[in-house]
């Protein structure tokens, strides 16, 4: 049987061959018809796996600065953040205020023209007053609702990070570009400098496909944002401050004979001497510590110590509750700290945080507080910490 | 009289009428194209009738045409059935063309650069209609080709067809086998995924063993294009795959085929007298002419084989594609492609130079000259017991070596690493970690432990209490603190998991697949009680994003003294525990995490 030709009759060979050929064509056609669905399904799966890969990369490379939950931390802003995705919680208000602002600008231009008659000027002034009142009327409830976020640097009038930095592309391309070349910024904004470049092209450690995975992961935080999401953000992006009004304030202060506060610096002994002549206010210290009520240090920095030092429990740094007791009862017994006073210990911990570490913690604290707080700020903080028995 | 100064088609039309003139032109064209057969000849051939004119026009294409001059004009009727060839030689050639065609289609979508090769793969799978099918066909065809060519060689050995006068045909066939292996191997790297990179890294590392070291190192550099396979290596493999090796393959295929014309197909051994070769002296009544019988038969098999491959690739086979190649991450249990596993297995026997180079080299060398060694005249099975025994031994040996090449054999992996890998590894070779196929809904956030499934009667409340109270260091000289604190330290500071305490709970009743995975986890932990003393495993599932869950897999055990990868046992057969200066048992822990997306597709796969 094995020696006979299969399909010994030529007509059978032709028939089976033709049928097989037709079957191949039908199958290819059938497969081609289904390709759309097949490719879409594969794309979905591949995107999901890309997010998984991105999640793993984020955990090992990004979470120390941006937080495991992406809500931001001492060294990096939140990415799990409606602001990054440009979500406006009050689009109607923004729209109306925007229209009013345009009208206001037009009226002001008109008022500045020499041809404008005094009657018209009076009309314009009346309308401008109306506009300001209306803007305040619209903005006040929004401010009130978002106060908790505003306290941490959120600006409800400019809810989109992309708009604030003048980015014309998509959020996705913004994230990817930032990953590729990092974000070199001044130490005055973020301690330890900005974000390093992550792509191999720009001298970083990651390949392009890994950056794409990371981008897919960050973009996967996009959802229907709620106010809870906004309030969960620990750290917003820091926008540079317009120096003009600050300069005006300084000049005003100098003119009235006031003293311009200076940063305390990092010379612990000198600071301790200066502190002797200053009285701390624990309430202001509390506000500075938690960044509440818009409290800022002498140069306008929101300190937000409580981002890492939670009231209870351990996040990045030791908990706030019981700080002073622990300093007195535990830290002062450390032989390495022999001769320290509790005050010296606290001051040094704030201005030179990496000189020593509480066992079990990593040196993640920003080292630029010496530049951002005055003696008064420091005294207030110490007064507050001393209440944490 | 012609309107033109020479006879033209118009004259023919005038003379014979349009229909007749056109037919004659077409008929003549067909005869020229087929190098000898006009329409009537073809019609007769396909009807199975005898040729109506002489000389036989069906022999003309073999004599005058290019393509058929490489095929015999008639076969011996004993050669047209399945036995003795099993169509293996023909199938090998079929795959040469099949791979060339599918390969050229794939080349349209591929760029040999580490930067985008993998994206090309993804693009082919997500954006090119029938792209996946082409890739599947090419990959399946490649694997089948290696197998078919090897079987063709075995068959030739078994029927003694390598004997005089076909010694050189055998030799070219062996070269074709080697080229086929290398073609398949070089193609392996091109998708630039983890599977490709590491299989090829292992394969290429054998080259480095070539003595003396200066030669090995330079050969290695030459083939890889650098100390590691990177952009240069990929480009070299690509050029070998699409240019150099196919060129050689076509040349040797031509030689191989020409030798078949010269010597004819060797007949089944029992059909000839011993020592005779009658392939070229086919009696008239035994002749099966190529046109039409063999030709239609071959066209039939082209259609049927292609149909089988298409059916397999549409419903049963998908070419593997793992994660993007990453030289920093070596997957556990990496192997060479299956057809090189026997060399990987041989390497485990000892010296790299001997087993990796000299042994395979000698094996091929002996095979190449075998027809000149085995000069006995008889091709009958009964007279070739030695040669047949040898080939069976060789097949057995290579099969055993291939098994030895698997990671299951002779590779000692620490029990904790192996178990955690078994729970979490990404899809590879159509398998994946046990936690991945658990349906997304059943991955209920929470903390679960294998203690729930252990034989010891312990409630989870007691277990949670125990890990809080049992104090141990995690390494010699490290702080003595509770097992829970040790685990939390690592989870928080190295794995960046936001977790403040460990509190294990029973696996929910509506998560049977998760329960099954945990039970398997528990069984694996229990089966390694010599290495993993007082061990327990844990799984912490957390919601990372709205549609993404994170799974941390924990293993915690009393450290034992290990020698050569195996636990040291005392006189009673119990493992020897590692203790610090104060006599505390040192606790070990291993934690890995993975992420699972709702649309990851692990479950439906």
């Amino acid at each position: 049987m094995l020696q006979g030709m299969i399909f010994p009759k030529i007509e059978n060979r032709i028939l089976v061959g033709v049928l097989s050929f037709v079957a191949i064509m039908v199958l290819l056609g059938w497969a081609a018809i289904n390709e759309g669905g097949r490719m879409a399904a594969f794309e979905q799966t591949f995107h999901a796996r890309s997010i998984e890969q991105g999640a793993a990369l984020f955990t090992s490379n990004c979470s120390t600065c941006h937080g495991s939950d992406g809500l931001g931390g001492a060294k990096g802003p939140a990415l799990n953040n409606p602001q990054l995705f440009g979500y406006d919680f009050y689009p109607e208000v923004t729209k109306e205020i925007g229209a009013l602002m345009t009208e206001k600008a037009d009226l002001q231009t008109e008022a500045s023209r020499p041809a404008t008659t005094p009657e018209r000027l009076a009309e314009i002034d009346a309308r401008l007053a109306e506009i300001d009142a209306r803007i305040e009327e619209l903005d006040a409830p929004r401010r009130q609702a978002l106060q908790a976020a505003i306290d941490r640097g959120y600006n409800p009038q400019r809810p989109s990070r992309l708009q604030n930095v003048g980015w014309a592309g998509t959020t996705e391309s913004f994230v990817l570009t930032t990953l590729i070349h990092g974000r070199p910024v001044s130490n005055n904004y973020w301690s330890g400098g900005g974000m390093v470049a992550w792509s191999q092209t720009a001298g970083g450690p990651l390949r392009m496909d890994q950056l794409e995975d990371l981008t897919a992961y960050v973009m996967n935080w996009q959802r229907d944002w709620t106010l809870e999401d906004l309030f969960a953000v620990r750290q917003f992006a820091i926008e540079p401050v317009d120096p003009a009004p600050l300069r005006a304030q300084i000049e005003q202060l100098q003119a009235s004979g006031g003293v311009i506060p200076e940063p305390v610096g990092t010379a612990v002994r000198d600071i301790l001497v200066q502190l002797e002549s200053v009285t701390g206010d624990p309430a202001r210290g509390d506000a500075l510590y938690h960044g509440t009520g818009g409290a800022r240090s002498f140069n306008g920095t929101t300190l937000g110590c409580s981002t890492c030092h939670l009231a209870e429990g351990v996040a990045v740094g030791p908990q706030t509750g019981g700080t002073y007791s622990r300093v007195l009862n535990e830290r002062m017994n450390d032989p390495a700290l022999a001769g320290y006073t509790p005050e010296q210990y606290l001051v040094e911990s704030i201005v030179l945080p990496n000189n020593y570490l509480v066992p079990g913690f990593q040196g993640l604290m920003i080292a630029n507080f010496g530049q951002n707080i005055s003696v008064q700020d420091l005294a207030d903080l110490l007064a507050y910490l001393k209440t944490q028995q | 009289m012609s309107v033109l100064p020479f006879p033209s088609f118009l004259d023919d039309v005038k003379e014979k009428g349009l229909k007749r003139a056109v037919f004659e032109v077409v008929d003549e064209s067909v005869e020229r194209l087929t190098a000898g057969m006009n329409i009537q000849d073809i019609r007769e051939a396909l009807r199975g009738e005898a040729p109506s004119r002489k000389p036989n026009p069906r022999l003309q294409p073999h004599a005058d045409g290019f393509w058929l001059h490489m095929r015999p004009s008639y076969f011996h009727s004993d050669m047209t059935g399945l036995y003795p060839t099993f169509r293996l030689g023909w199938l090998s050639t079929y795959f040469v063309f099949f791979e060339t065609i599918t390969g050229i289609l794939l080349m349209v979508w591929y760029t040999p650069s580490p930067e985008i090769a993998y994206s090309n793969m993804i693009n082919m799978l997500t954006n090119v209609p029938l792209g996946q099918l082409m890739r599947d066909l090419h990959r399946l065809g490649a694997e089948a080709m290696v197998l078919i060519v090897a079987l063709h060689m075995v068959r030739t050995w078994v029927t003694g067809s390598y004997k005089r006068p076909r010694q050189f045909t055998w030799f070219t066939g062996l070269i074709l086998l080697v080229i086929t292996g290398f073609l398949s191997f070089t193609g392996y790297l091109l998708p630039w995924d983890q599977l490709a990179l590491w299989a090829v890294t292992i394969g290429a590392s054998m080259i480095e063993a070539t003595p003396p070291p200066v030669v090995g190192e330079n050969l290695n550099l030459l083939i890889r294009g650098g100390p590691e396979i990177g952009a240069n290596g990929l480009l070299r493999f690509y050029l070998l795959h699409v240019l150099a090796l196919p060129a050689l393959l076509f040349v040797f295929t031509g030689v191989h085929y020409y030798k078949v014309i010269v010597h004819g197909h060797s007949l089944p051994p029992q059909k000839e007298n011993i020592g005779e070769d009658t392939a070229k002296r086919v009696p008239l009544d035994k002749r099966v002419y190529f046109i039409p019988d063999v030709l239609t038969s071959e066209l039939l098999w082209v259609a049927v084989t292609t149909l089988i491959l298409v059916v397999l690739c549409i419903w049963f086979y998908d070419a593997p594609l793992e994660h993007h190649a990453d030289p920093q991450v070596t997957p556990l249990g990496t192997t060479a492609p299956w057809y090189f596993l026997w060399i990987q297995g041989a390497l485990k026997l000892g010296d790299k130079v001997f087993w990796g180079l000299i042994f395979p080299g000698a094996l091929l060398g002996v095979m190449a000259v075998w027809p000149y060694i085995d000069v006995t005249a008889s091709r009958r099975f009964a007279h070739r017991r030695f040669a047949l025994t040898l080939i069976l031994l060789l097949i057995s040996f290579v099969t055993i070596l291939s098994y030895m090449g698997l990671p299951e054999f002779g590779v000692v992996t620490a029990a904790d690493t192996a178990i955690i890998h078994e729970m979490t590894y990404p899809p590879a070779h159509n398998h994946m970690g046990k936690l991945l196929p658990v349906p997304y809904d059943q991955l209920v956030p929470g903390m679960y432990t294998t203690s729930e499934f252990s034989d010891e009667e312990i409630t989870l409340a007691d277990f949670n209490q125990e890990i809080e109270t049992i104090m141990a260091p995690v390494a010699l000289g490290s702080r003595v603190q509770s097992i829970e604190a040790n685990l939390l330290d690592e989870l928080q500071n190295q794995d960046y998991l936001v977790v403040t305490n460990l509190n294990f709970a029973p696996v929910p009743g509506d998560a049977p697949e998760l329960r099954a995975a945990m039970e398997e986890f528990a069984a694996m932990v229990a089966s390694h009680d010599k290495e993993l003393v007082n061990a327990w495993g844990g799984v912490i599932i957390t919601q990372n994003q709205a549609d993404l869950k994170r799974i941390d897999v924990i293993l915690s055990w009393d450290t034992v003294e290990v020698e050569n990868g195996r636990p040291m046992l005392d006189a009673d057969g119990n493992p020897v525990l590692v203790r610090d200066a104060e006599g505390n048992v040192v606790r070990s822990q291993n934690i890995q995490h993975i992420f699972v997306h709702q649309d990851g597709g692990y479950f439906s796969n």
Side-chain angles (χ1 to χ4, degrees):
Chain A
M1 174 220 149
L2 284 177
Q3 290 202 35
M5 193 182 261
I6 302 179
F7 302 116
K9 287 188 178 163
I10 191 167
E11 55 266 38
N12 289 346
R13 288 201 292 273
I14 293 175
L15 184 69
V16 175
V18 169
L19 283 179
S20 299
F21 182 76
V22 170
I24 294 169
M25 289 301 131
V26 169
L27 274 180
L28 286 182
W30 179 81
I33 290 170
N34 290 314
E35 276 297 86
R38 205 264 315 150
M39 290 191 293
F42 189 93
E43 185 140 20
Q44 191 184 30
T45 306
F46 176 74
H47 183 64
R49 306 240 170 131
S50 176
I51 291 171
E52 291 170 1
Q53 296 274 301
L57 287 166
F58 187 90
T59 305
S60 52
N61 295 300
C62 317
S63 59
T64 36
C65 295
H66 292 284
S68 295
D69 45 12
L71 291 171
K75 290 174 156 183
L79 305 170
N80 177 9
N81 178 355
Q83 194 191 30
L84 175 66
F85 293 88
Y87 188 84
D88 190 352
F89 291 95
Y90 292 87
E92 299 300 322
V93 173
T94 309
K95 197 175 157 194
E96 201 176 336
I97 290 183
L100 290 169
M101 297 294 271
T102 315
E103 190 188 344
K104 189 174 167 180
D106 290 348
L107 289 173
Q108 281 166 337
T109 316
E110 192 186 341
S112 64
R113 287 199 195 110
T116 312
T117 60
E119 295 79 46
R120 177 62 186 151
L121 272 179
E123 265 175 46
I124 288 174
D125 284 345
R127 178 59 190 154
L128 283 177
E130 254 177 58
I131 288 174
D132 283 344
R134 178 65 186 147
I135 288 179
E136 181 56 23
E137 189 189 348
L138 286 165
D139 197 34
R142 178 168 72 172
R143 278 206 314 272
Q144 198 178 0
L146 299 177
Q147 192 58 47
I150 294 170
D151 288 343
R152 269 169 289 141
Y154 180 74
N155 181 355
Q157 291 186 8
R158 300 170 70 89
S160 163
R161 170 80 176 134
L162 264 53
Q163 255 175 31
N164 290 349
V165 295
W167 184 264
T170 59
T171 309
E172 198 169 355
S173 66
F174 178 72
V175 172
L176 183 62
T177 312
T178 309
L179 279 165
I180 290 174
H181 52 58
R183 188 176 292 290
V185 295
S186 160
N187 262 349
N188 293 331
Y189 297 124
W190 296 103
S191 78
M195 173 173 161
V196 299
W198 284 95
S199 81
Q200 290 179 349
T201 345
L206 298 182
R207 297 186 311 269
M208 200 59 196
D209 60 289
Q210 292 175 310
L211 298 184
E212 277 159 10
D213 291 342
L214 268 173
T215 308
Y217 176 69
V218 171
M219 291 306 293
N220 198 40
W221 267 310
Q222 171 75 293
R223 58 185 181 271
D224 293 330
W225 297 96
T226 63
L227 280 177
E228 284 70 43
D229 295 327
L230 184 73
F231 296 145
V233 168
R234 285 190 297 265
Q235 175 68 61
F236 288 97
I238 300 175
E239 312 288 349
V241 179
D242 179 3
L246 281 179
R247 204 174 297 130
Q249 278 177 21
I250 290 169
E251 280 162 10
Q252 216 175 355
L253 193 67
Q254 280 172 324
S256 64
V259 181
I260 304 162
E262 284 179 6
V264 288
T266 54
V268 178
R269 303 226 167 260
D270 293 352
I271 295 171
L272 287 169
V273 173
Q274 292 177 47
L275 276 174
E276 282 170 16
S277 55
V278 183
T279 314
D281 172 6
R284 179 162 181 273
D286 187 346
L288 275 175
Y289 194 88
H290 294 97
T292 47
R296 290 170 188 242
S297 74
F298 84 102
N299 67 356
T301 308
T302 308
L303 300 180
C305 315
S306 57
T307 308
C308 299
H309 301 281
L310 304 181
E312 288 292 326
V314 171
V316 183
Q319 70 174 31
T320 307
T323 298
Y324 203 62
S325 307
R326 285 200 312 277
V327 170
L328 289 177
N329 304 328
E330 293 176 21
R331 302 298 293 137
M332 288 301 106
N333 297 334
D334 189 333
L337 300 173
Y340 271 66
T341 63
E343 200 160 59
Q344 181 184 358
Y345 174 82
L346 284 172
V347 170
E348 194 165 326
S349 299
I350 293 171
V351 298
L352 293 168
N354 294 323
N355 271 12
Y356 38 75
L357 294 171
V358 178
F361 291 94
Q362 294 171 304
L364 296 176
M365 183 165 155
I366 311 182
N368 66 354
F369 286 106
Q371 301 306 314
N372 287 331
I373 53 175
S374 66
V375 173
Q376 184 62 53
D377 295 331
L378 184 57
D380 295 344
L381 284 170
L382 292 182
Y384 167 67
L385 285 175
K386 283 178 186 171
T387 65
Q388 298 300 309
Q389 297 288 344
Chain B
M1 194 54 209
S2 171
V3 289
L4 295 169
F6 47 84
S8 74
F9 177 63
L10 284 178
D11 299 325
D12 276 3
V13 174
K14 268 190 213 159
E15 194 180 318
K16 301 168 185 166
L18 179 68
K19 201 173 157 191
R20 180 82 202 153
V22 169
F23 174 78
E24 278 184 8
V25 167
V26 172
D27 196 42
E28 198 185 318
S29 306
V30 168
E31 191 168 338
R32 282 173 195 279
L33 283 171
T34 57
M37 290 178 73
N38 61 30
I39 294 176
Q40 176 64 19
D41 297 332
I42 294 173
R43 188 182 287 159
E44 285 165 5
L46 290 182
R47 281 176 175 169
E49 294 166 0
S52 62
R53 62 184 175 119
K54 285 193 173 176
N56 185 350
R58 299 174 193 177
L59 299 180
Q60 238 15 62
H62 293 277
D64 297 346
F66 171 72
W67 291 108
L68 288 193
H69 92 277
M70 285 188 287
R71 307 305 308 277
S73 48
Y74 52 82
F75 284 36
H76 194 295
S77 63
D78 287 338
M79 295 304 303
T80 53
L82 262 186
Y83 178 81
T85 66
F86 299 99
R87 293 278 176 284
L88 292 167
W90 177 84
L91 270 175
S92 306
T93 315
Y94 167 83
F95 278 116
V96 171
F97 289 100
F98 182 80
E99 289 301 285
T100 307
I101 295 166
T102 51
I104 287 172
L105 288 171
L106 291 178
M107 277 171 79
V108 174
W109 305 100
Y110 182 78
T111 311
S113 151
E115 309 269 307
I116 47 171
Y118 188 76
S119 323
N120 285 165
M121 291 296 125
I122 300 302
N123 181 50
M124 221 179 278
L125 295 173
T126 58
N127 219 5
V128 179
L130 299 181
Q132 185 183 32
L133 183 66
M134 277 310 131
R135 198 172 106 79
D136 294 348
L137 287 170
H138 191 71
R139 180 65 175 252
L140 185 65
E143 313 250 346
M145 186 171 160
V146 175
L147 187 69
I148 296 283
V149 173
L151 286 175
H152 180 44
M153 196 201 73
V154 170
R155 194 281 300 170
T156 312
W157 182 296
V158 170
T159 59
S161 303
Y162 54 81
K163 294 200 173 191
R164 212 171 72 87
R166 297 184 183 79
Q167 300 100 318
F168 192 71
T169 318
W170 164 271
F171 179 73
T172 55
L174 195 76
I175 289 178
L176 287 170
L177 173 69
V178 173
I179 295 176
T180 305
F182 279 116
L183 263 172
S184 205
F185 181 65
T186 48
Y188 224 83
L189 181 67
L190 305 187
W192 203 247
D193 61 346
Q194 280 288 71
L195 177 64
L197 180 71
W198 291 99
V200 171
T201 300
I202 287 199
S205 69
M206 280 174 247
I207 297 165
E208 207 176 355
T210 318
V214 63
V215 175
E217 281 164 20
N218 283 302
L219 271 180
N220 190 38
L221 277 182
L222 196 67
I223 190 90
R224 296 193 192 190
E228 274 175 16
I229 294 177
N232 288 330
L234 180 57
L235 185 57
R236 281 168 204 203
F237 270 67
Y238 176 73
L239 290 175
L240 282 173
H241 187 71
V242 305
L243 213 66
L245 291 172
L248 284 174
L249 186 78
F250 284 119
V251 168
F252 280 96
T253 305
V255 176
H256 200 71
Y257 258 75
Y258 182 69
K259 290 288 165 187
V260 176
I261 299 282
V262 171
H263 300 304
H265 293 100
S266 83
L267 294 179
Q270 68 278 18
K271 299 274 177 180
E272 286 179 322
N273 292 328
I274 293 169
E276 269 185 21
D277 183 58
T278 54
K280 294 293 277 184
R281 285 177 272 131
V282 185
L284 279 172
D285 62 329
K286 291 281 189 187
R287 289 183 186 180
V288 177
Y289 282 88
F290 187 84
I291 299 173
D293 286 317
V294 178
L295 181 63
T296 48
S297 178
E298 288 189 349
L299 289 175
L300 160 72
W301 290 117
V302 168
V304 169
T305 315
T306 311
L307 177 64
I308 292 171
L309 286 168
V310 169
V311 167
L312 284 178
C313 287
I314 286 183
W315 282 296
F316 303 102
Y317 176 83
D318 275 331
L321 185 69
E322 295 182 4
H323 289 314
H324 192 289
D326 190 342
Q328 320 280 327
V329 180
T330 317
L332 199 64
T334 302
T335 56
W338 60 268
Y339 40 85
F340 282 157
L341 268 182
W342 60 283
I343 305 185
Q344 200 174 349
L347 281 168
K348 290 181 189 168
L349 289 173
D351 186 57
K352 200 175 173 185
V353 176
F354 182 79
W355 288 107
L357 280 168
I358 299 177
F359 163 68
L363 199 61
L364 284 175
V366 170
M367 296 286 265
V369 298
W370 182 253
Y372 303 100
I373 297 172
D374 177 18
V375 291
T376 53
S378 177
R379 292 172 51 224
R380 302 267 163 97
F381 299 138
H383 300 157
R384 300 179 54 241
R385 288 180 183 148
F386 177 72
L388 293 179
T389 310
L390 201 63
I391 191 73
L392 286 177
L393 280 178
L394 190 70
I395 293 171
S396 316
F397 189 46
V398 168
T399 310
I400 292 167
L401 281 182
S402 296
Y403 164 71
M404 286 170 57
L406 293 174
E408 283 85 348
F409 182 87
V411 178
V412 181
T413 308
D416 56 306
T417 311
I419 292 175
I420 290 192
H421 176 79
E422 198 56 39
M423 296 303 291
T424 57
Y425 70 95
H429 302 290
N430 299 320
H431 295 285
M432 60 182 120
K434 296 192 185 309
L435 283 166
L436 289 175
V438 175
Y440 187 78
D441 293 342
Q442 294 193 24
L443 292 171
V444 187
M447 301 187 188
Y448 313 107
T449 170
T450 58
S451 293
E452 188 186 346
F453 308 101
S454 75
D455 299 336
E456 294 169 40
E457 302 256 323
I458 180 168
T459 65
L460 282 181
D462 288 345
F463 176 76
N464 285 322
Q465 184 66 32
E466 219 172 68
I467 59 171
E468 257 180 71
T469 46
I470 295 180
M471 309 295 273
V474 277
L476 288 174
S478 72
R479 202 145 50 121
V480 177
Q481 57 177 357
S482 73
I483 291 175
E484 175 173 348
N486 284 328
L487 287 167
L488 283 174
D489 270 355
E490 187 170 337
L491 283 168
Q492 290 165 351
N493 299 325
Q494 286 171 39
D495 296 318
Y496 307 108
L497 181 69
V498 182
V499 60
T500 45
N501 69 326
L502 295 182
N503 190 12
F504 293 97
V507 176
D510 53 359
E513 306 253 354
L514 177 62
R515 166 174 290 268
M518 287 302 294
E519 281 171 355
E520 288 188 69
F521 189 10
M524 282 192 285
V525 172
S527 68
H528 288 87
D529 58 342
K530 290 282 187 279
E531 290 155 273
L532 307 175
V533 179
N534 292 326
W536 56 271
V539 166
I540 301 178
I541 303 174
T542 44
Q543 192 81 40
N544 188 269
Q545 287 180 330
D547 46 12
L548 185 72
K549 283 170 184 165
R550 169 176 166 152
I551 309 175
D552 286 73
V553 181
I554 297 173
L555 205 53
S556 171
W557 70 99
D558 288 345
T559 318
V560 298
E561 299 279 2
V562 173
E563 201 174 28
N564 296 331
R566 311 228 175 259
M568 259 166 73
L569 301 180
D570 64 12
D572 303 328
N574 294 320
V576 183
L577 295 177
V578 176
R579 290 174 192 276
D580 70 0
E582 280 86 49
N584 293 310
V585 171
V586 176
R587 194 79 184 163
S588 285
Q589 57 195 33
N590 190 345
I591 305 176
Q592 296 280 324
H593 64 261
I594 52 169
F595 290 88
V596 175
H597 191 279
Q598 194 170 5
D599 301 328
Y602 302 109
F603 182 61
S604 58
N605 279 357

